[in-house]
Amino acid sequence: MFTADRRGAPDALEQPFHAVDFTYNWQSRDQIILKVKRRNLLDETIENEREGVTIFEENSGVGVAVSFEWLM
């Protein structure tokens, strides 16, 4: 992501960051399905910079999702 500025100002560029996600799926022979998802385990901040100055920061946090299915 980047921001293009008007009137000849330099562009703002998104800085690299590390993102680690985890997904686990389990299915039994008895038709039970369990899914666990974790997003952004490192909880790093996303930054946009213009000429070495941070102009935007966002911390999206760590996400968790769990689902359980029983197929009949």
Side-chain angles (χ1 to χ4, degrees), residues 40-69:
N40 194 19
L41 293 173
L42 301 177
D43 197 22
E44 286 200 11
T45 301
I46 300 169
E47 296 180 349
N48 286 8
E49 285 187 4
R50 177 182 298 130
E51 296 183 329
V53 177
T54 301
I55 62 164
F56 175 77
E57 277 188 357
E58 177 184 16
N59 189 339
S60 61
V62 177
V64 178
V66 177
S67 68
F68 178 81
E69 295 180 48

Side-chain angles (χ1 to χ4, degrees), residues 1-6 9-14 48-50 55-56:
M1 175 185 200
F2 71 94
T3 305
D5 283 324
R6 302 180 288 177
D11 295 337
L13 301 175
E14 182 177 274
N48 286 8
E49 285 187 4
R50 177 182 298 130
I55 62 164
F56 175 77

Side-chain angles (χ1 to χ4, degrees), residues 8-44:
D11 295 337
L13 301 175
E14 182 177 274
Q15 300 305 299
F17 65 96
H18 297 94
V20 176
D21 298 336
F22 172 80
T23 302
Y24 177 77
N25 295 318
W26 177 80
Q27 183 171 357
S28 74
R29 295 181 186 180
D30 299 323
Q31 302 173 343
I32 297 173
I33 300 172
L34 175 66
K35 296 180 184 179
V36 178
K37 296 180 183 180
R38 299 269 323 245
R39 186 182 55 81
N40 194 19
L41 293 173
L42 301 177
D43 197 22
E44 286 200 11

